Amino acid sequence: MFKIRSLVTALALAGSISMAYAWEALPTEVPAPADNPTTAAKVELGQQLYHDPRLSSSGTVSCSSCHNTALGGEDNRPNSVGVGGQTGGRSAPTVWNAAFNEVQFWDGRAASLEAQAAGPVTNPIEMGMDNWDGVVARLKTIEGYQKSFDEVFGKDSISKENVTKAIAAYERTLITPNSPYDKYASGDTSALTAQQVRGLEKVAELGCTGCHSGPAFNGPGVFQRFPVTPNGYFEAQYHFSKDKGLAEVTKKLEDEHLWKVPTLRNIALTAPYFHNGSVKTLEQAVTVMAKVQLGKNLSEGEVADIVAFLDALTGEFPKQKLPTLPPTPGKTFN
C-alpha cells in the first residue's frame, strides 16, 4: 500500500504549502496480488458476476445494486436496500478506487477486495444466500458461466474463491484518475481555481491530511476514531456514536468507534455522508468533521473553499457498458 508519511510534513519540507509536486496524483493502474493476476477475460467475467442478481437469494440484488458504477460507486441512500426490501445500518461505501483501500468495509473487517466480495452474498440483509455452496451450485447450472470459468481459471473451476477473485479483478479497474486535482498535482497549476487552491491549503493547514493523505486521500493510517470528540448537538442530530464500528466485529473496548479511513475521491458524488448516511450535504459534512475531529469551528467561507477543493477530486470515470449476462437454463430459480 502507500508509503506512510505526513503530507503536511512533506509540504513543509517543500517550502510552500501550495507547491503542486508535494501532492500526489492517483495512479492509473492498481497492482494485482500475486495469486490473482489481472487478465481481460477475468475482468469481463468479474463484471458479469458483479452485475448478476442471481448471486442473491431473491434474484433481485447484485453487487451493483448498492455499488452502482453509473453513479458515484454507491447508491446515494443513507442505508442500502437488500433482499426483501431490508435495510442495513450503514451507508454503502463507494467501489470507485476501493482497490486503493488497505482494508474494506466501513469497519475494515476484510483485508482485500477478494475477502470483501464474499461477505454480502451470504449476509441475510444484503444478498441473502444461505451459503456459498448454493451460489456455486446455481452458477454451475449456467452454461455461459461454465465456459467463462473454464477459460479464466481452468476446467471445473466454479468456486467461491474464483467468483470473488473475478469480482475483485473487475473492481481493480474501477479507478478515476485525471481529476482537476491530479492535473494540479502533476504540475498544471491552472487546473484548480483560486478558490480550490485556498481549499487545498486550508485542508493541509487544519490537519485534515493527518488522516486523508496519499493519492487516494485515505491514509496514512488504516483506521481513524470517529468521533474523536463527541458533540452533543451533532450527536442528537446524527447519532454517530450508536454504531461502535470495528468493535462490533472484535468486541474489544479499544476498538469502539474505529472506522476505515474513507477516500475523499469523488466525494462530491457520494452523498449522504458518514457510516450511517446521516449527513445530507458536503458542506455540513465538512463542518462536522472540523468540529468533532479537529476541534475547529469553520467560517462559511472556509467551508465553501474546502468543498470547492473536494469537488476537484472528482476524476475521470472509465466507460462502463452493462454486461450481457449468460441466460438461466429453462427456469427461474428458487
Side-chain angles (χ1 to χ4, degrees):
M1 206 51 195
F2 306 129
K3 182 179 179 181
I4 295 178
R5 69 183 185 87
S6 167
L7 188 55
V8 178
T9 300
L11 289 168
L13 291 173
S16 172
I17 204 166
S18 63
M19 294 181 72
Y21 64 80
W23 297 78
E24 301 176 75
L26 193 73
T28 57
E29 294 183 357
V30 181
D35 64 347
N36 190 21
T38 301
T39 67
K42 188 185 293 182
V43 169
E44 181 179 0
L45 172 59
Q47 185 182 28
Q48 288 179 315
L49 293 164
Y50 184 91
H51 288 87
D52 199 330
R54 289 172 292 187
L55 271 66
S56 71
S57 60
S58 63
T60 61
V61 178
S62 68
C63 302
S64 64
S65 298
C66 299
H67 305 280
N68 190 342
T69 55
L71 299 172
E74 39 76 72
D75 56 8
N76 295 121
R77 297 174 183 265
N79 308 106
S80 295
V81 178
V83 292
Q86 299 179 90
T87 57
R90 294 177 182 168
S91 181
T94 181
V95 71
W96 291 110
N97 304 306
F100 293 105
N101 294 334
E102 192 165 337
V103 294
Q104 306 295 330
F105 293 111
W106 271 106
D107 55 25
R109 65 185 181 275
S112 67
L113 289 174
E114 287 81 359
Q116 187 281 327
V121 174
T122 54
N123 184 298
I125 293 176
E126 296 180 55
M127 297 173 77
M129 291 295 289
D130 290 336
N131 52 60
W132 266 94
D133 289 342
V135 180
V136 170
R138 180 177 292 174
L139 293 176
K140 284 182 176 180
T141 69
I142 301 172
E143 183 177 358
Y145 277 135
Q146 293 174 14
K147 292 180 178 179
S148 294
F149 274 88
D150 285 354
E151 176 186 352
V152 173
F153 294 106
K155 189 170 178 59
D156 299 325
S157 59
I158 298 178
S159 66
K160 171 186 176 181
E161 180 182 13
N162 288 338
V163 169
T164 58
K165 281 185 173 182
I167 291 173
Y170 166 62
E171 291 178 337
R172 288 192 176 93
T173 69
L174 301 179
I175 57 177
T176 61
N178 301 320
S179 68
Y181 158 80
D182 291 309
K183 295 172 184 176
Y184 181 86
S186 298
D188 180 2
T189 56
S190 67
L192 297 184
T193 67
Q195 184 182 31
Q196 288 169 334
V197 172
R198 289 199 306 271
L200 174 150
E201 293 175 345
K202 180 58 66 173
V203 160
E205 175 191 327
L206 290 171
C208 306
T209 48
C211 291
H212 296 285
S213 65
F217 290 86
N218 65 347
V222 177
F223 293 96
Q224 68 177 18
R225 193 170 302 281
F226 175 80
V228 170
T229 306
N231 177 280
Y233 174 74
F234 289 142
E235 190 64 33
Q237 289 188 81
Y238 305 127
H239 310 290
F240 294 134
S241 298
K242 182 178 180 181
D243 190 326
K244 303 299 184 182
L246 182 61
E248 301 281 358
V249 179
T250 66
K251 310 304 180 185
K252 295 179 179 179
L253 183 63
E254 61 267 29
D255 291 339
E256 285 191 359
H257 309 302
L258 286 183
W259 301 95
K260 175 192 72 179
V261 178
T263 180
L264 298 183
R265 293 275 175 175
N266 309 305
I267 195 170
L269 306 178
T270 59
Y273 299 104
F274 299 106
H275 58 274
N276 59 1
S278 59
V279 176
K280 294 181 179 180
T281 70
L282 191 50
E283 289 80 2
Q284 186 63 2
V286 169
T287 300
V288 168
M289 286 295 287
K291 183 64 176 178
V292 305
Q293 298 302 94
L294 303 171
K296 304 289 187 179
N297 293 310
L298 301 182
S299 69
E300 289 185 9
E302 289 172 325
V303 170
D305 289 348
I306 292 172
V307 168
F309 167 65
L310 295 175
D311 284 339
L313 297 180
T314 301
E316 293 180 0
F317 291 77
K319 292 182 179 179
Q320 296 290 299
K321 182 180 179 182
L322 285 177
T324 299
L325 303 181
T328 301
K331 64 177 182 178
T332 57
F333 39 83
N334 295 326

